[in-house]
Amino acid sequence: QVQLVESGGGLVQPGGSLKLSCLASGFTFPFYAMKWHRQAPGKERELVATIGIDGSTNYADSVKGRFTISRDNAKNTVYLQMNSLKPEDTAMYYCNTRKSGRDYWGQGTQVTVSS
């Protein structure tokens, strides 16, 4: 079965960096686009970044130039490098893929940006 396991979250000061990882299993990873979403308390879940099977990327305007999504198909892992973090980046971050018309989600990893 499809499993997505995020890691790498934590507490960081404004201006700092974090790198999130999402280890995937249960499907042929290289053949699927992968996405990172986030959800802050009291807010709707927001699409942050997408990476296609060809490595093409797209970002939300709020993170463009600060976040980088990447994938390592040999490790079945998608990453989110987050630089110049701001307090408004505080959220639970989830990785996601869609297979056979169904969305799959990990359990999330918490990112808190605070001094």
Side-chain angles (χ1 to χ4, degrees):
Q1 67 279 22
V2 174
Q3 286 194 323
L4 301 170
V5 181
E6 302 96 334
S7 61
L11 173 63
V12 64
Q13 292 188 340
S17 298
L18 279 176
K19 186 173 185 177
L20 307 183
S21 300
C22 173
L23 176 62
S25 61
F27 62 105
T28 310
F29 180 79
F31 294 165
Y32 291 85
M34 298 296 298
K35 300 180 180 182
W36 284 99
H37 300 249
R38 67 185 180 187
Q39 187 166 21
K43 294 190 176 181
E44 292 189 355
R45 192 167 291 191
E46 172 191 20
L47 176 60
V48 173
T50 302
I51 186 163
I53 60 175
D54 60 353
S56 59
T57 58
N58 280 290
Y59 299 93
D61 287 343
S62 57
V63 307
K64 235 173 242 184
R66 300 188 298 120
F67 289 11
T68 303
I69 188 171
S70 61
R71 65 191 300 160
D72 185 336
N73 289 338
K75 295 182 178 180
N76 281 11
T77 301
V78 60
Y79 303 99
L80 187 68
Q81 176 67 48
M82 306 185 295
N83 299 328
S84 303
L85 282 160
K86 305 175 181 180
E88 52 263 43
D89 295 317
T90 295
M92 186 72 80
Y93 284 72
Y94 300 89
C95 70
N96 154 254
T97 193
R98 174 167 285 195
K99 180 178 181 290
S100 302
R102 176 182 168 180
D103 278 307
Y104 292 87
W105 300 87
Q107 82 289 349
T109 186
Q110 177 67 39
V111 172
T112 302
V113 185
S114 175
S115 54

